[in-house]
Amino acid sequence: MKIHVKPSDGFYTADGCDLSDFAALASRETTPEDAPNAAALARNIPIYDVRSLGDHLVTPEARRALMAEWASVLQHGAGVFVLKQAQPDHGAIDAATLAYERIIADETAAGGQGADHFAAAGSNDRIWNSLQKLCIRAPETFIRYFASPAIDAASEAWLGPTYQMTAQINLVHPGGKAQQAHRDYHLGFQTAEISATYPAHVHDLSPLMTLQGGIAHCDMAIESGPTKLLPFSQLYRPGYAAWRRDDFRSFFEDHYVQLPLEKGDAIFFNPALFHAAGENRSTTVHRMVNLLQVSSAFGRAMESVDRIAMCKTVFQPLCAAWSSGSLSEAQLDSVIASTAEGYAFPTNLDRDPPVGGLAPKTQAELLREAVLGQASEYEVIRLLEDQAARKHA
């Protein structure tokens, strides 16, 4: 029998989501008082002119006040803001674009194809871990490119100091189709079934662990398909359970907004905001954005654990206990959860892509399948080592 749990019981399900509640939140409006340092409001989204912020990015007290404003916009307000000319060094952007185009050419020639989590294959070019690849290939360009106090302040505003920067290039060619509306990492990269296993308070926590952003590498008119956004949609707490529902996606398509961007502009948004890359209806614009995914420093365990060694050691006795019937399935899962890595990230998405889903197979899934299938010790060791090798940058 299928059991539906109410949100008041501590979990969210798609069936328990209410579109009218969602619509009421999305109908809110941003006022000038919500973003006093913004140069303008465009379709409820605060627009900040970095060139005019001056001391706000230099003086500690003013910088802290600005960061508090940005955090409020992300958490309680529209959920998104734009920084005009966050990177005014267009020469650095052009040099980075050239480096990225060469990386794409090299990876294509080598037979690689960066899959997109939420768009059809073939409509874009993707560079996973563009941060490291640019740094290694063109360190001088990397230095100029990331020398942006505005991007640093935006990241710190949401995540605090010692944040962890990652980035991925998305190049959408003319004719490239739009993504489907979605939420992002962490829970947004889980299947609906897995997302539903996390309690409601973790749904609240997930968007506080990452910040989504993007740096425009070219001028992007609306026809080129800049990101479609639904302001205030991050306020809907069960949104990670709701975003796959057809009625929520239809509402998004009827009410989203888009803003044109210029080369050097940056956009930042709460990962719980409903959003989707737009369709590139232009004939000449190859829309390149460096997608920034900035993570909290707190997303780490206290101790380093050699879980591969643990998996190798426990495999044979675990197989023996399972085959003898001395372990129930619940007990087996408990042992595996304490032994193996149960999360797919971080990983090297070039070598360990999310084939057939939103995330690669975890070490725990590999170990469980091996025990249930009574694989040989040699095979399990090989699978564990191959998986670990794929994950390394």
Side-chain angles (χ1 to χ4, degrees):
M1 180 179 68
K2 187 175 182 180
I3 299 174
H4 299 292
V5 182
K6 298 177 181 178
S8 59
D9 293 327
F11 290 84
Y12 292 130
T13 65
D15 291 344
C17 295
D18 189 321
L19 182 60
S20 63
D21 291 343
F22 182 73
L25 291 170
S27 69
R28 295 187 180 186
E29 293 187 357
T30 304
T31 68
E33 291 74 24
D34 296 326
N37 287 293
L41 300 178
R43 311 197 72 178
N44 280 318
I45 298 174
I47 311 295
Y48 295 84
D49 185 351
V50 172
R51 293 164 294 193
S52 67
L53 289 177
D55 290 345
H56 283 85
L57 293 171
V58 178
T59 306
E61 295 80 4
R63 184 176 185 269
R64 175 168 287 191
L66 182 61
M67 290 194 301
E69 180 177 320
W70 288 348
S72 180
V73 170
L74 291 170
Q75 186 168 14
H76 307 296
V80 52
F81 60 84
V82 171
L83 302 181
K84 299 295 294 182
Q85 296 307 291
Q87 179 46 277
D89 186 348
H90 289 192
I93 293 175
D94 291 341
T97 296
L98 183 60
Y100 289 137
E101 288 173 342
R102 289 172 175 166
I103 292 170
I104 289 170
D106 291 346
E107 292 183 350
T108 300
Q113 182 178 5
D116 191 298
H117 292 286
F118 301 105
S123 60
N124 60 6
D125 286 306
R126 175 79 73 162
I127 302 177
W128 297 116
N129 196 5
S130 62
L131 183 85
Q132 177 180 318
K133 290 173 182 176
L134 178 64
C135 181
I136 299 303
R137 181 176 289 246
E140 293 83 6
T141 297
F142 175 89
I143 291 169
R144 290 173 59 195
Y145 184 89
F146 280 99
S148 169
I151 292 174
D152 175 56
S155 301
E156 186 175 337
W158 190 237
L159 302 165
T162 65
Y163 59 80
Q164 305 167 71
M165 179 67 72
T166 63
Q168 307 88 35
I169 282 291
N170 195 28
L171 175 57
V172 181
H173 303 290
K177 300 303 181 183
Q179 291 179 330
Q180 291 186 310
H182 61 276
R183 282 182 164 188
D184 268 340
Y185 190 75
H186 291 262
L187 284 182
F189 280 21
Q190 307 297 328
T191 65
E193 294 75 18
I194 292 177
S195 178
T197 65
Y198 286 88
H201 67 270
V202 177
H203 287 239
D204 295 334
L205 173 65
S206 181
L208 298 176
M209 299 298 290
T210 57
L211 176 65
Q212 300 301 125
I215 303 172
H217 276 238
C218 62
D219 292 344
M220 300 189 304
I222 296 298
E223 68 171 0
S224 70
T227 303
K228 301 189 293 185
L229 308 154
L230 186 60
F232 301 101
S233 57
Q234 87 284 0
L235 298 174
Y236 188 63
R237 292 182 63 202
Y240 288 107
W243 66 259
R244 293 176 178 84
R245 278 182 37 165
D246 290 341
D247 54 345
F248 278 76
R249 279 183 161 162
S250 293
F251 183 91
F252 173 87
E253 292 300 327
D254 290 338
H255 296 88
Y256 72 80
V257 301
Q258 288 175 288
L259 295 181
L261 297 175
E262 298 175 304
K263 182 194 296 185
D265 291 351
I267 187 169
F268 288 94
F269 55 90
N270 186 316
L273 192 80
F274 280 48
H275 66 281
E279 179 180 0
N280 189 345
R281 301 189 306 274
S282 74
T283 58
T284 59
V285 178
H286 295 262
R287 192 183 81 236
M288 180 182 284
V289 178
N290 201 11
L291 304 173
L292 306 180
Q293 188 181 80
V294 198
S295 295
S296 167
F298 293 165
R300 304 182 183 189
M302 187 171 69
E303 294 181 308
S304 298
V305 178
D306 188 346
R307 298 198 180 276
I308 293 181
M310 291 175 64
C311 288
K312 290 178 180 178
T313 301
V314 81
F315 173 69
Q316 281 195 319
L318 195 58
C319 277
W322 173 251
S323 61
S324 70
S326 61
L327 279 183
S328 69
E329 188 168 1
Q331 290 173 319
L332 172 67
D333 288 341
S334 297
V335 173
I336 291 175
S338 296
T339 305
E341 174 58 61
Y343 199 40
F345 303 105
T347 192
N348 183 323
L349 285 164
D350 286 314
R351 295 198 292 260
D352 191 30
V355 177
L358 297 175
K361 181 181 294 187
T362 68
Q363 188 183 71
E365 289 172 329
L366 189 158
L367 181 60
R368 190 179 197 277
E369 290 174 1
V371 172
L372 295 180
Q374 295 291 290
S376 69
E377 183 179 20
Y378 170 81
E379 182 181 6
V380 170
I381 290 174
R382 179 182 61 81
L383 289 173
L384 288 167
E385 291 179 347
D386 286 350
Q387 183 185 62
R390 289 195 304 271
K391 286 183 174 294
H392 291 163

